Every structure is written in C-alpha cells, then in structure tokens.
Amino acid sequence: MEEVEIPSYFLCPVSLQMMRDPVTLPTGITFDRHSIERWLFSDSNHNTCPVTKQPLPASVDLTPNHTLRRLIQAWCVANASNGVERIPTPRPQIQLSHISNLLLETKRSPANHLPFLHKLQDIISASEANRRCVESSEAVEFLSSIILEDHGDEALAILHSLQISPQRFLTLLRKNQSFLDSLFHVLQLSSFKSRAYATLLLKSVIPLVSPANLSSKIQEEKIHEIVNVVIDRISNQATKAALQVLIELFSWGRNRVKAVNAGAVYALIDLLLEEEDKRVCELSLVALDKLCACAEGRAALIGHAAGVAVVSKKILRVSQVASERAVRIVEKVAKLSASPVVLQEMVQVGVVSKLCLLLQVECGMKEKEKAREILRLHARVWKDSPCLSPQLLCSYPCS
C-alpha cells in the first residue's frame, strides 16, 4: 500500500496536524480552530497572528473557511481506501441563548440536573469558544449553587474545567455570597474527588476575598479542613493548591494562631519529612515561615521532634527559594525563641553546621548575611561546640 502524503495546505501552521475545522484570522491566514484557539486563549494570552506577527483585536473573529473544509473532506473521501478517515463537519459554536434555554429547562426539576451537567461538559469540551461562552453565562452561578447536592462532583469538575477568570469569579462571589462557604463545606465530605476540585477552586477564589473577610470570617474549622487536604495527600496538584490557600490565609495574623491550633505546623513538618517534590517543599517552607512569625507557630515547630532538623536539612538541598525560606525560619527561632535547650538542639541537629557551610558556598547574599547574623548572635554558646568540625569553625564569623 502506498504511503499517503497529506498536502501541505491541509496542515495547521500552529501544530502541524491536519486541519479539522479551518478558520481564518483577520490577517488572512487560515488555521485549525482548536490550534489557533489554544494559541489565542491559553494562559500565555497571545494577541498576535503566529504567522504574520501582526497584532489582533481584543475580540478577534475566527471566520470558518468552508471552502477549505470541503476540499479537505473531499481529499479524505478520495483517499479512504488508504485508511484516511473523513473529517466530520464541525458543530456550530454554542450561543448564550442555547445555554439559557438549557438552564430554564433544568431548573424546573432536580431530575434534570445530571443530563444538563453531561450536556454542559460536552459543550465545553467541543471548543475553546464554547468554554468561554459557558464561562460568561449564568450556568456558572447555577453550578456554584448545586455543589452541595447529589451531583456536586460533576458540578465542581465543570467549574474547574471552565478555567474561570478572576473577574468572573468576582462576579460569582457577588451573586452567590455563600459560594466560599460551600467550597469549605465540600472539604468535609468523604469524596477525595470533590475535595480536590474544591481545593483547586479555593486556590483561585481566596486571593480575591477582601482582607477583612480573610481575617475575620475564616474560622479555625475551615483552616483545619485545608490542613486535612495536605495530610491526606489527595493528589500532588491538590496538595500544592492547599498549600497556596494556606499561604494566602497566613498573610493575616489571626489566621496563623488558628492554623497552629488546627495542626498546620505538624502537618507541614510531616510533609517536608516525606515529600521530594521541589515545589511542594518550597510552598511548605513558605507556609512555615509565615506561621513562625507568631510565638505559637515557633513553639509548635520546636515542639515537633523533627521540626528544627527538617528545616535545616532543606537548606542547600532543594532550591534557592527553599534555602532562603528555611534560613528565615531558623532566624526567627534563633532570635525570638532561643532558649538554652533550643540553642543546644540547633547544634546537635546540624543547624549551626549548615549556617557555617552557607558562608563557604555559592548562594544568595541574603542567606549569607542572615547566617552571619545568627552565628554572631549566639557565638558564645556555639563557637566552641565539639559538634562543629574544624573546617566549619574556620568560617565562623568574628564577633
């Protein structure tokens, strides 16, 4: 059987695959719809034609190229004997009016919810344009209102797949003021899937909540549920999202004490003991650094048998970010919670050795300065310690 060669004018300039739904930009260049939508509406948010590099309007029109589509379909039919499948005619883009009609029908009876959710998922998966249309519709508010009902898993999955913009989330929070509480309530459920989606949505929503609400309306029970997501290791993605939520919450002093009471310090230390993922370690150290800004957080760190040791271990072992945060944690403990017992422990578990090593190796200037300051501060206790090797003692800073 002869090898079938696809004509070059059937190839998508963005992805070099056969066009299935050719559309033309205002620049006159034709692309496959799926590929050009990925280019224009991805997180990178490109605003130029990938071929001509010409700037495109904010609301760019993708004009279907029906002539080219029929040519491609004809070519596929002509080469069917060689195993080429005919490309189906693409479905028309969804309209807001269609989604509104589906919503009206769905709201009449709870029995209609599941069929509606399945239809909505099909609509979203069909194209990027459909996804953006659904995101701008009232379907978002409806989905947010049913996440605690029987089909909450599906509603949460769709909300996550919509990749809702911050502006749209703000609109949602204004229209559905109980949405944030509902997401936290989902975290109490037994379904790992629901908890994962709720955590990922919280990661997007929490930065948009006003500081006053973050400080006064986030109860200890809610922080405890986020901490449980970290403890349960539902998924790597959910763990990272939970850590980012905690970091946002820890920006406000009241929440730090609540988090310590909810077991956050112990959960973060246990995570650092077992986790090898670089980003998870960085986020855990950032969260611990924020918690150590309060006396309760430092006391919990010192109270954990491996707390000081695991923080020291991460210096020069993970990344520049991790080292910087670990040194900041050591600095807070050394300056604000430096009892004789703690100072002795810092020698025994290798904190002082790590600080001396920092002065000998290539690393950030901030870490070096902090290391010098900490070593000078407790030179009387540490400098003559038998736990330090002569090689490290030679780098001990003078008073």
Side-chain angles (χ1 to χ4, degrees), residues 138-326:
E138 293 180 0
V140 173
E141 281 74 20
F142 176 74
L143 292 168
S144 72
S145 70
I146 65 169
I147 60 176
L148 297 179
E149 298 181 9
D150 290 342
H151 306 299
D153 277 5
E154 287 84 355
L156 285 164
I158 294 172
L159 282 171
H160 177 253
S161 69
L162 282 173
Q163 303 168 39
I164 299 173
S165 67
Q167 294 78 11
R168 187 67 181 89
F169 264 130
L170 284 170
T171 302
L172 172 59
L173 289 170
R174 284 195 297 270
K175 291 184 176 180
N176 183 358
Q177 297 182 5
S178 64
F179 178 55
L180 186 62
D181 288 334
S182 296
L183 289 177
F184 277 109
H185 189 71
V186 169
L187 297 181
Q188 300 174 18
L189 305 178
S190 59
S191 167
F192 275 12
K193 181 180 176 182
S194 292
R195 293 171 66 199
Y197 282 131
T199 305
L200 291 166
L201 289 168
L202 279 169
K203 183 190 75 170
S204 300
V205 172
I206 287 292
L208 306 175
V209 180
S210 68
N213 285 338
L214 281 185
S215 179
S216 63
K217 294 189 177 181
I218 302 296
Q219 297 89 1
E220 185 178 313
E221 294 77 15
K222 292 179 178 177
I223 296 178
H224 182 70
E225 294 305 331
I226 293 290
V227 171
N228 280 341
V229 174
V230 174
I231 293 172
D232 291 341
R233 320 282 169 84
I234 296 172
S235 70
N236 189 261
Q237 191 180 11
T239 299
K240 291 177 184 176
L243 290 169
Q244 288 171 297
V245 171
L246 291 174
I247 289 167
E248 285 288 338
L249 295 176
F250 296 167
S251 297
W252 311 103
R254 292 182 185 179
N255 289 338
R256 293 171 192 156
V257 178
K258 296 174 190 175
V260 174
N261 294 335
V265 173
Y266 274 46
L268 292 169
I269 293 170
D270 291 343
L271 185 62
L272 285 169
L273 285 168
E274 300 174 12
E275 186 61 55
E276 296 182 358
D277 183 279
K278 183 179 82 169
R279 185 57 179 156
V280 170
C281 289
E282 290 174 347
L283 290 170
S284 299
L285 289 166
V286 171
L288 263 182
D289 180 30
K290 287 182 176 290
L291 287 178
C292 284
C294 69
E296 293 85 354
R298 295 190 299 276
L301 177 74
I302 294 165
H304 193 294
V308 176
V310 74
V311 170
S312 171
K313 184 179 178 181
K314 297 304 177 182
I315 298 175
L316 301 176
R317 290 285 295 273
V318 180
S319 67
Q320 179 72 27
V321 173
S323 293
E324 182 182 341
R325 288 294 177 165

Side-chain angles (χ1 to χ4, degrees), residues 1-6 75 78-84:
M1 182 184 294
E2 279 189 29
E3 184 178 350
V4 179
E5 183 178 352
I6 300 175
W75 180 86
N79 288 272
S81 59
N82 293 324
V84 178

Side-chain angles (χ1 to χ4, degrees), residues 104-164:
L104 285 174
E105 181 183 342
T106 301
K107 289 177 179 178
R108 293 193 185 104
S109 168
N112 296 330
H113 288 182
L114 189 58
F116 169 75
L117 293 173
H118 290 163
K119 287 178 186 175
L120 205 58
Q121 190 63 68
D122 288 341
I123 289 170
I124 293 166
S125 60
S127 72
E128 175 64 21
N130 281 4
R131 184 196 67 77
R132 290 185 292 116
C133 182
V134 173
E135 187 207 5
S136 65
S137 73
E138 293 180 0
V140 173
E141 281 74 20
F142 176 74
L143 292 168
S144 72
S145 70
I146 65 169
I147 60 176
L148 297 179
E149 298 181 9
D150 290 342
H151 306 299
D153 277 5
E154 287 84 355
L156 285 164
I158 294 172
L159 282 171
H160 177 253
S161 69
L162 282 173
Q163 303 168 39
I164 299 173

